[in-house]
Amino acid sequence: MENTAYIVAPRRDHTQTIILLHGRDSIASEFAEEFFESQASDDRTLLEIFPTTRWVFPTSKIRNSARFNVPMSQWFDIWSVENHLEKNEIQIDGLRESVKEILDLIRTEATLISPDRIILGGISQGCATAIHTLLYGGIQLGGFIGLSSWLPFEPEITTTMADNMTWRIVENRLHYSHKMLNIPTDQAETTSILSDLSSTFVLKTPVFLSHSQDDDVVPIANGKKLSTTLEELGMVVSWKQYKDGGHWVNEPQGVDDIVSFIRVVESSSTKK
């Protein structure tokens, strides 16, 4: 089992980096290979459309599943993907560890290219982990891409937005309370380092979310709630839903929409 990131180097001069997290019970190389098989309406793949992109696919640790009592590749343990609120206390340890790992990865990638040219995202549990990483990290990236996912601890987030306990907005920057994930001090230092890389704010990171109505793994209602919550936080979200596509990327329209989003991010970073 691989335990390092699967990286596809740019074919030409490096202009942007896209970090994508795989789903539960998958690995980086497997996700990357399948992802690059998805085609846009012109029959090209994302790898062909964006030759100057550095693609980074991290791999999660092997963690024991409390429900099935077997070890499996997962960013955090979860009792029910359909109902992510059930026994959600088992999610905390893995989510805390994975957020730290991805923040460290972003910090490394930010030494190669500026944060406004980095897009973070993932599919399913990978997206769920990535969105917590983005919000906790408190840094504006070029963009965020989320596929077929949900927002862990969404009730805690939405109920504390008003009373200012879990979320604090200071000078237009979202601060993610250390209490929810109980992040150790060394991660708080990592977050500070990341924040120093950008003079802008995490809430300005543009977000692309997509979900198919026939997804039989993660209900589309979970994806819609993720979109709504991020909008309530003040983020600009491009929400796309499709009639079919299952628990994956819709083809070809879904791929076209991802391409359009990445093009906008590229254009925005070029103007800075």
Side-chain angles (χ1 to χ4, degrees), residues 114-126:
S114 62
D116 66 320
R117 292 176 181 267
I118 296 176
I119 295 175
L120 176 65
I123 187 169
S124 195
Q125 193 189 66

Side-chain angles (χ1 to χ4, degrees), residues 24 67-68 78-86 124 149-150 215-223 247:
R24 192 185 193 203
R67 183 172 185 176
F68 303 108
I78 185 170
W79 190 261
S80 171
V81 176
E82 298 82 3
N83 178 15
H84 60 91
L85 303 178
E86 186 175 2
S124 195
S149 193
W150 71 94
D215 188 333
D216 60 357
V217 177
V218 178
I220 192 172
N222 293 0
H247 190 59

Side-chain angles (χ1 to χ4, degrees), residues 9-261:
R11 299 178 181 182
R12 300 209 297 264
D13 290 345
H14 181 202
T15 62
Q16 72 176 345
T17 294
I18 299 180
I19 303 171
L20 296 176
L21 281 63
H22 63 77
R24 192 185 193 203
D25 202 25
S26 180
I27 57 174
S29 59
E30 177 182 79
F31 174 44
E33 290 168 4
E34 294 177 354
F35 186 70
F36 289 138
E37 290 176 358
S38 300
Q39 295 179 312
S41 56
D42 62 2
D43 294 330
R44 290 189 300 164
T45 66
L46 290 165
L47 197 58
E48 295 169 324
I49 296 172
F50 298 105
T52 63
T53 296
R54 172 180 166 91
W55 298 88
V56 180
F57 298 86
T59 290
S60 71
K61 291 181 178 179
I62 302 300
R63 294 180 169 86
N64 190 65
S65 168
R67 183 172 185 176
F68 303 108
N69 196 29
V70 294
M72 62 192 306
S73 175
Q74 54 180 350
W75 299 102
F76 54 89
D77 196 15
I78 185 170
W79 190 261
S80 171
V81 176
E82 298 82 3
N83 178 15
H84 60 91
L85 303 178
E86 186 175 2
K87 299 185 178 181
N88 64 358
E89 68 278 358
I90 69 174
Q91 301 175 30
I92 295 176
D93 288 344
L95 191 55
R96 179 181 64 239
E97 294 172 1
S98 294
V99 164
K100 181 181 186 305
E101 291 169 4
I102 302 306
L103 281 175
D104 288 342
L105 175 62
I106 295 172
R107 179 175 58 177
T108 299
E109 292 299 320
T111 65
L112 305 176
I113 200 164
S114 62
D116 66 320
R117 292 176 181 267
I118 296 176
I119 295 175
L120 176 65
I123 187 169
S124 195
Q125 193 189 66
C127 169
T129 303
I131 193 62
H132 269 270
T133 302
L134 178 71
L135 296 177
Y136 178 77
I139 178 176
Q140 181 187 3
L141 297 178
F144 184 91
I145 296 175
L147 312 171
S148 307
S149 193
W150 71 94
L151 180 62
F153 298 98
E154 174 268 320
E156 288 87 341
I157 292 171
T158 55
T159 57
T160 55
M161 280 163 55
D163 62 28
N164 213 29
M165 291 176 62
T166 302
W167 303 93
R168 293 185 298 113
I169 298 180
V170 180
E171 297 181 349
N172 294 325
R173 174 168 293 177
L174 183 69
H175 291 259
Y176 191 27
S177 172
H178 294 191
K179 295 180 179 179
M180 178 178 284
L181 296 184
N182 192 26
I183 305 292
T185 303
D186 61 343
Q187 180 154 342
E189 294 171 352
T190 296
T191 302
S192 176
I193 292 171
L194 280 168
S195 297
D196 290 342
L197 294 174
S198 175
S199 61
T200 49
F201 313 116
V202 64
L203 295 181
K204 292 184 178 180
T205 301
V207 177
F208 172 88
L209 298 176
S210 73
H211 216 122
S212 295
Q213 295 175 8
D214 65 345
D215 188 333
D216 60 357
V217 177
V218 178
I220 192 172
N222 293 0
K224 289 181 178 178
K225 188 62 178 178
L226 166 60
S227 177
T228 299
T229 303
L230 295 183
E231 287 180 335
E232 290 175 349
L233 287 172
M235 304 185 84
V236 176
V237 180
S238 174
W239 164 258
K240 302 290 184 179
Q241 65 180 55
Y242 311 99
K243 182 177 180 181
D244 53 45
H247 190 59
W248 190 243
V249 183
N250 170 273
E251 294 182 70
Q253 186 58 53
V255 180
D256 287 346
D257 290 337
I258 292 174
V259 170
S260 296
F261 177 78

